Amino acid sequence: AFAVMAIMTAGAFFAGCANPAGGNNAGGSTGGSEILGTKAPDVAKAVGDIVFNDGSATPYTAELTLSDEQKAAAIAVIFKVDGGKTLGVGLKHNRSGLAWCTKDAKAYNKNIETIQCPASGDAGNLTFTDDTDGSDNLEQIASFLTTAGLADDTTDPSKYPAFYFAKNYKNTATNLGAAYENGWYLPTVAELFDIWKVKATVDAASSLCGGSQFGTSWYWSSSQHASYRDYAYYLSLYNGDWNFTFKDLYDEFYVCAVRAFN
């Protein structure tokens, strides 16, 4: 009888330890619930982590494989961890061309100082000042317009296409789940530069999930030019250099969406 009880106890113990977070593509568990990644939602994320729509994450490595379920649930790759700020970029980019704003938008020929992010240095070695956080730049445009006594037209997606691709990213990435539908925004040129610094990892992780790659393309930032009121900045993901052009140009510029994953 004692032998039978010992065997039953041992079996129950090992059953309780089944399904550890092991293997290249294995998920984990927390509090009795399965998670998609090897990191629980409350575990700090690191640059290169693939984030899933349950809040869990898995670090990208060249040997990593993902299940079809994980690929379908992947929503972002972490590109910056700086103190209390953890930023990820969405896996799906707009590559059909979108204007920063249209020529009839109120912000087209306005010098909006609160969203300026000037850079200094050479390509690939840039430093930025002023507005490096783009999370409220569309709201900053609205504030500028109303303070100047102008009608706030920033609620019209057709007049600010690049901004609204990011703001309404849930319409493009339909797998976000309720927790991550909102909070996406058009990055500043400084935040795009942060992506460029780890582009190889971001592109490889996104490719593994079936997402877009930055490659050598030009991406709109949400940053106003510091001198010319009808210009905004973009970044070359080829060499990490910035430049500027008219806000209503669209045919050569791609758009991505970022958000905080703190």
Side-chain angles (χ1 to χ4, degrees):
F2 285 114
V4 171
M5 289 179 66
I7 292 171
M8 292 175 64
T9 301
F13 171 80
F14 286 112
C17 294
N19 195 29
N24 276 347
N25 65 343
S29 61
T30 176
S33 301
E34 294 300 317
I35 57 174
L36 290 161
T38 57
K39 288 184 175 182
D42 59 349
V43 173
K45 296 173 175 58
V47 171
D49 282 2
I50 298 169
V51 183
F52 302 102
N53 57 18
D54 66 350
S56 66
T58 290
Y60 171 79
T61 66
E63 296 77 25
L64 180 67
T65 60
L66 297 176
S67 68
D68 289 342
E69 181 185 13
Q70 288 172 312
K71 291 178 181 179
I75 61 173
V77 178
I78 301 299
F79 68 88
K80 182 177 183 177
V81 177
D82 183 11
K85 179 183 292 187
T86 300
L87 297 180
V89 58
L91 301 182
K92 296 183 179 181
H93 308 173
N94 183 285
R95 303 183 69 85
S96 60
L98 296 172
W100 194 91
C101 71
T102 57
K103 189 166 288 188
D104 63 340
K106 299 294 184 184
Y108 178 77
N109 62 346
K110 301 297 185 297
N111 186 13
I112 308 168
E113 294 182 355
T114 55
I115 61 170
Q116 293 176 1
C117 184
S120 59
D122 299 323
N125 190 31
L126 300 174
T127 58
F128 299 87
T129 57
D130 298 337
D131 179 43
T132 59
D133 179 353
S135 60
D136 65 348
N137 277 7
L138 187 61
E139 290 75 17
Q140 290 286 351
I141 295 172
S143 177
F144 171 88
L145 294 174
T146 55
T147 300
L150 300 170
D152 174 18
D153 63 351
T154 61
T155 57
D156 185 346
S158 68
K159 292 187 177 181
Y160 299 87
F163 285 90
Y164 270 91
F165 169 81
K167 183 179 178 67
N168 293 334
Y169 182 60
K170 64 183 179 182
N171 296 338
T172 298
T174 56
N175 65 334
L176 299 177
Y180 298 107
E181 284 187 346
N182 301 310
W184 299 89
Y185 63 91
L186 185 65
T188 64
V189 67
E191 289 168 326
L192 284 174
F193 187 71
D194 287 328
I195 294 174
W196 175 83
K197 289 188 290 186
V198 293
K199 182 189 67 171
T201 298
V202 171
D203 276 355
S206 184
S207 179
L208 179 64
C209 301
S212 305
Q213 287 82 62
F214 284 94
T216 60
S217 303
W218 298 337
Y219 277 74
W220 271 127
S221 79
S222 60
S223 303
Q224 163 80 42
H225 192 283
S227 300
Y228 303 110
R229 61 188 185 180
D230 49 358
Y231 282 25
Y233 289 121
Y234 64 87
L235 192 94
S236 166
L237 272 293
Y238 168 65
N239 63 354
D241 201 7
W242 71 331
N243 212 325
F244 51 88
T245 192
F246 292 105
K247 294 174 180 177
D248 64 329
L249 295 186
Y250 63 89
D251 54 343
E252 297 178 347
F253 301 98
Y254 299 151
V255 182
C256 66
V258 304
R259 84 182 307 276
F261 288 90
N262 294 340

